Structures are given as structure tokens and as C-alpha cells.
Amino acid sequence: MKPSRALAALHTLLGIRQPVFLWGPPGVGKSQLVAQAAAQRGMALRDIRAVLLDPVDLRGLPRIDATGRTSWCAPTFLPGPQDEAEGVLFLDELNAAPPLVQTACYQLILDRRIGEYALPEGWCVVAAGNRESDRAVVYRLPTALANRMVHLDVEADAEDWLHWAEASDIRPEILSFLRFRPRLLHVREADEAAFASPRSWAFASRILEAAPDAALAGDLLRGTLGEGVSAELLGYLERRASLPTPEEILDTPQAARVPEDPADLCAVCDLLAGCASPENMDAVTEYAERLPAEYGVLLMRDAVRRDPRLVEGLPFARWAQRHAEALL
């Protein structure tokens, strides 16, 4: 399922304290989904990397009490009575943990306790891991453990990621490139260590934000996205530099060049939508009228998504009236 649907499923399962396992390829955003669901529900989050644990780590250390009997001191990474009333105990990379560690999780996941420790009532267990088909280092999840959880398979989705990226200050050139080439959001070549994923596209955005010179940027992007995807992105960035600037379009909307190539049209729409404001909407709508219909709609939808005030002005109202059928 796509991430937005997985997020809705998480809300349902957290509400009933049902343990859940998120499956998906590396970099698809499983950990972020768990963090987002917890934050939206006002729940604390304990992120535990199961692969780093030994079986004894979960039970804790023994001590001798005043009566001479042995009791167990639970580790501080497990929530206790002094912690928040509600939270998520997130066992990330659970199926990458050795079988003995997975066995130690059986009782914690189903019975909400391990030895003398009991998980507080308001807390829920969520686990995540990669699939064997992802060529990740994993152990087969024992059926006795797997049967204790609901399983959700998360896949990368360009529409979902772009919606997140717009709110997360991802570079506009990456947004416009992936609108044109959404299938490149998650691509892995068999023999390459670097590959395109939602996570690595965020890395690529940070690299471009640092503004390295062209040669170094190429090397860094190849080491982030892989050879093939980075070549397409670099070619797109070169062409983007030759497009009319937003300032040129806003100054002369009736004379500014309208590109013919679909990738260039996507780039121009993204550039212009990013600087649209109530003060310059007359010029924006004039230029939108000169674009092919589907790109005019793309431009206006992106502009309104970034600044909802635009729908209140007369220029948008006039444009929307003329293109009502395309907006439906």
C-alpha cells in the first residue's frame, strides 16, 4: 500500500493497541511513517534498533533485594511508570536481528510483557523491516512471531512523496523532475550500491542546497542516486538553466518563451508556482493561458497548494471560470 494509506492503517491499529509489522524496501520511509503517526496522535516514541540488541538486553540485569531474592531491573529504553502515558515502542529492523533476539520479542509483542517487566497500558508495539526480495540482510521471521502481528506492505508512491516533499523544503528542481519522471522515485539497479529511493532523493536535495560546482555535484549525485537516474537528473538540470526565469515571465507574460518539451514545461510550471503571489497573479494567469491546457492546470494547482490565498483573488477566479471543466 502507498504511504498515506499505511499511515491511516497505523492510526487504526495504534488506536486499538494492535501490534503491527511494516514491510518495505530500504529508504521507502517506514520509520518516518511510525514517527508521523505517533506525533499526530500525541504519543511518545521509543525507537529501538532490534539488530543492535542481545537477548539479555530486553530482560535487563538481576539484582538481590532486601529479602535475598533475585529480581530483574528492566532497561531504561523500555517505557516504565515514570514515562508518558501513551506511546509507541518501535522495534526497527526486527527481522535483521538474530533469531534469539526475535524469540525474546515474542512475549513482549503478544503478551505485552517480558519476564517481570510489563509494557504500560497506553503503549503499542510496532515493528518494521526489509523484505528478503530487497536483497537486504534479514532472517526469516518465525511464523510464531509473524502470527502475533498485522502485516502492512509499504511501497514508494510519487504522489504521496511529492506532497510530503513540498512541505519539507525539498529543492524545487527535484520536485519538478519527479513530477515529470515519477517512476524514478524508487529505482535500484542490480549491481549498484547507490540507488534512487525517497530517502536518497532527500539526500540529493541537501546536496543541491549546498551548491557544489557542476563536476562535484555530478559525482555526489551519482553516489546518491546511481548512475542512470543521476544522468537523467543532471541532463534535466542543464536544460532547466536555459529556461525563462520567473522574473522574465512575470515582467512580460505575453512575450516570455513557452517551452515545447514536456520536461521543460514541468520545470517552468514549478518555477512560476513557487513565486506566485496575490500581487502578481495577473501575470501568472496570463502566462498560464499560453500553456497547453494540462500544464496551465498544473501551474495553477501547484500555486494554490503553496499559497491558498490565491483562490480569493479576481485573477484566479477569472482563470478558473474559463477552465472549470479541466479543474473537475
Side-chain angles (χ1 to χ4, degrees):
M1 59 176 61
K2 66 181 186 177
S4 59
R5 191 166 182 82
L7 180 63
L10 274 175
H11 277 292
T12 298
L13 296 171
L14 292 177
I16 61 176
R17 304 296 187 264
Q18 170 62 49
V20 55
F21 196 108
L22 296 179
W23 297 89
V28 77
K30 300 181 293 295
S31 302
Q32 187 180 59
L33 278 176
V34 177
Q36 186 177 356
Q40 290 175 352
R41 298 184 68 84
M43 302 173 74
L45 177 66
R46 292 288 179 88
D47 189 338
I48 300 171
R49 303 290 158 159
V51 70
L52 301 179
L53 297 178
D54 287 325
V56 296
D57 292 339
L58 286 167
R59 186 163 187 180
L61 294 175
R63 68 177 176 182
I64 299 175
D65 61 22
T67 68
R69 296 169 63 87
T70 298
S71 60
W72 292 85
C73 301
T76 56
F77 60 74
L78 291 177
Q82 75 282 1
D83 294 309
E84 295 88 345
E86 292 188 327
V88 176
L89 183 64
F90 181 35
L91 302 175
D92 203 0
E93 301 177 11
L94 178 58
N95 61 332
L100 285 177
V101 174
Q102 295 184 22
T103 301
C105 295
Y106 283 15
Q107 189 181 16
L108 181 61
I109 291 173
L110 182 61
D111 299 328
R112 302 176 58 82
R113 62 185 310 116
I114 182 167
E116 298 172 10
Y117 169 80
L119 189 67
E121 182 62 31
W123 284 68
C124 182
V125 178
V126 176
N130 304 132
R131 304 163 300 195
E132 291 182 58
S133 59
D134 298 318
R135 300 194 295 277
V137 178
V138 298
Y139 295 91
R140 187 179 297 275
L141 204 65
T143 55
L145 178 57
N147 193 236
R148 284 163 161 74
M149 295 177 283
V150 172
H151 297 267
L152 304 178
D153 203 343
V154 183
E155 297 287 353
D157 181 84
E159 183 179 356
D160 271 12
W161 189 84
L162 286 168
H163 181 73
W164 168 84
E166 287 174 354
S168 303
D169 296 325
I170 298 298
R171 295 282 299 185
E173 53 265 55
I174 287 180
L175 296 179
S176 58
F177 175 73
L178 287 175
R179 285 194 183 97
F180 176 64
R181 296 285 279 134
R183 292 185 179 181
L184 297 183
L185 176 64
H186 199 281
V187 178
R188 182 168 188 180
E189 299 295 336
D191 299 325
E192 286 192 306
F195 62 95
S197 72
R199 177 193 295 155
S200 58
W201 280 110
F203 294 165
S205 176
R206 294 171 60 188
I207 289 170
L208 293 178
E209 190 70 32
D213 63 65
L216 180 58
D219 291 338
L220 293 174
L221 290 174
R222 279 188 289 274
T224 303
L225 301 169
E227 192 72 34
V229 174
S230 63
E232 289 204 40
L233 175 62
L234 290 167
Y236 172 79
L237 293 177
E238 287 182 11
R239 296 177 63 179
R240 182 185 172 98
S242 66
L243 297 176
T245 66
E247 292 74 19
E248 292 170 348
I249 294 172
L250 294 174
D251 288 342
T252 57
Q254 289 298 332
R257 182 170 66 88
V258 174
E260 297 182 0
D261 184 85
D264 294 345
L265 283 165
C266 283
V268 166
C269 289
D270 192 76
L271 286 168
L272 196 54
C275 62
S277 69
E279 293 73 28
N280 61 28
M281 271 301 283
D282 277 317
V284 172
T285 54
E286 281 187 50
Y287 190 75
E289 291 287 359
R290 299 176 57 213
L291 298 175
E294 64 271 25
Y295 291 97
V297 171
L298 173 65
L299 165 59
M300 300 305 286
R301 281 181 172 168
D302 283 353
V304 169
R305 187 184 298 117
R306 297 177 185 186
D307 188 351
R309 298 175 302 159
L310 300 179
V311 300
E312 302 170 3
L314 187 58
F316 179 85
R318 288 197 298 258
W319 180 89
Q321 185 176 18
R322 291 192 293 271
H323 299 275
E325 184 176 342
L327 289 172
L328 295 178

